[in-house]
Amino acid sequence: MNLFAGSKTFLVGEYGVLFGGSCVVLITPPEFSLEIIKGETSLRGISKLSPGYRFYKCHEEAFKNFSIKFSDPYNGKGGFGASSAQYSLLYKAYLKITSCQFDLDKFLDEYRDLASSNRGISPSGADCLAQFNNFSTYYDPSKKVIQQLEIDFPNLDFCIFKTKTKISTHEHLRRLPKINTNELNHISDQVYQSILSKNESKFCENLQKFFQELQSMKLVLSSTSDLVSEISNIPGVYVAKGCGALSADTILVIFLKSLRNEIIDQIRNVLNCR
């Protein structure tokens, strides 16, 4: 049995969803994979410090006599959801092995328990949910709405670039105070509505507003702000946004589809010079 989960990136809502707001999580190639073979009992490719490993240990009896191997296309470099993919894929394997039914509350509650420390903000688990389903997802925890999204604009394309910086999400959440995300939630809703209506100009405008609001709330590293500023000056780029804890892990860039190759080359030059 082989199970797959795409790379994850929060388009919007990464902070709001921690406090009950909605979010949009992108799922993109390449995929993480979990290979399960009946036979000897073993687990490979999963850190003992991860929520996925803790989940495995909690349900060790179910995984007895299965050889399990997790494969990471990024070779442990981080930034695209390896940790959340491990939990999501092991959970999916557990359901298949035990013939249990998926329960959203149990899925999220167990992840939060396994991923949380005794202090700080608990992770939302929204990225795990998107990777479990393996499609780009709109998620509203207050209404328990989970919606598959097709983000497709005729004239726009996007690419996500790894930076040289990685902030541990779990460490960041330990230090994060409770924040007022009302404005972030409002802008997130506008981005979501622009996706549904396929309004390119509103999509770019509101995505830019969202990142600017993160900056005003001091939720963006200065190095990310510098990169985003430089990339935004490339002709044909409409929006650049940092993603991950403190917007540090990756840069999401929305650009004119017809200039894709030229723009990607210029962005890589910017990143390589840093």
Side-chain angles (χ1 to χ4, degrees):
M1 177 169 58
N2 290 281
L3 303 174
F4 301 93
S7 305
K8 65 87 179 174
T9 303
F10 276 95
L11 178 68
V12 288
E14 56 264 54
Y15 283 96
V17 74
L18 296 171
F19 305 103
S22 61
C23 66
V24 174
V25 183
L26 299 177
I27 295 297
T28 56
E31 291 182 315
F32 302 93
S33 65
L34 197 70
E35 180 185 64
I36 305 103
I37 300 174
K38 194 167 181 60
E40 66 176 67
T41 303
S42 65
L43 179 67
R44 290 176 289 166
I46 295 181
S47 167
K48 291 184 178 181
L49 301 176
S50 71
Y53 182 82
R54 295 179 192 130
F55 176 81
Y56 177 88
K57 295 300 287 185
C58 287
H59 302 278
E60 204 162 11
E61 188 62 30
F63 291 115
K64 189 176 180 180
N65 299 323
F66 287 95
S67 173
I68 299 175
K69 179 184 177 182
F70 177 79
S71 296
D72 177 357
Y74 302 101
N75 298 314
K77 294 180 180 178
F80 289 95
S83 178
S84 50
Q86 289 170 7
Y87 174 78
S88 300
L89 291 177
L90 280 169
Y91 200 99
K92 187 175 287 189
Y94 172 79
L95 295 182
K96 289 183 178 294
I97 290 168
T98 61
S99 298
C100 291
Q101 296 298 309
F102 178 76
D103 182 286
L104 176 62
D105 290 332
K106 288 182 180 179
F107 174 77
L108 294 175
D109 287 345
E110 187 154 11
Y111 176 71
R112 292 178 188 126
D113 288 343
L114 295 170
S116 299
S117 65
N118 293 326
R119 61 188 188 279
I121 305 298
S122 296
S124 69
D127 45 358
C128 295
L129 179 61
Q131 287 178 299
F132 181 90
N133 290 323
N134 207 18
F135 53 67
S136 293
T137 301
Y138 169 78
Y139 172 53
D140 184 340
S142 65
K143 300 175 183 176
K144 294 188 178 180
V145 173
I146 304 164
Q147 179 181 349
Q148 182 174 356
L149 288 180
E150 294 294 334
I151 304 174
D152 183 23
F153 296 97
N155 301 305
L156 302 182
D157 206 344
F158 75 92
C159 203
I160 304 165
F161 300 87
K162 182 80 177 70
T163 70
K164 296 175 182 178
T165 304
K166 178 71 178 83
I167 302 292
S168 168
T169 300
H170 302 305
E171 290 298 323
H172 175 55
L173 292 181
R174 285 177 184 174
R175 298 187 295 270
L176 182 70
K178 187 168 183 179
I179 55 178
N180 186 333
T181 61
N182 288 343
E183 184 60 23
L184 285 175
N185 295 341
H186 173 66
I187 303 171
S188 292
D189 288 341
Q190 291 180 319
V191 172
Y192 167 63
Q193 291 300 326
S194 68
I195 293 171
L196 296 182
S197 63
K198 296 190 180 296
N199 189 320
E200 294 182 348
S201 62
K202 287 293 183 184
F203 175 73
C204 292
E205 176 187 334
N206 288 309
L207 193 56
Q208 183 69 52
K209 283 182 181 178
F210 185 86
F211 185 65
Q212 289 171 342
E213 182 64 18
L214 288 178
Q215 288 176 307
S216 72
M217 297 175 70
K218 303 191 184 304
L219 294 172
V220 179
L221 284 185
S222 59
S223 58
T224 299
S225 291
D226 293 342
L227 275 174
V228 165
S229 179
E230 192 167 351
I231 291 170
S232 296
N233 288 328
I234 296 173
V237 169
Y238 293 118
V239 186
K241 172 192 179 289
C243 304
L246 292 177
S247 299
D249 297 351
T250 59
I251 306 289
L252 167 73
V253 186
I254 311 294
F255 49 81
L256 186 62
K257 186 177 290 186
S258 61
L259 296 178
R260 177 182 175 85
N261 292 337
E262 300 97 307
I263 289 173
I264 287 177
D265 285 344
Q266 291 183 68
I267 293 170
R268 285 177 175 156
N269 286 335
V270 170
L271 295 172
N272 289 336
C273 290
R274 290 281 175 169

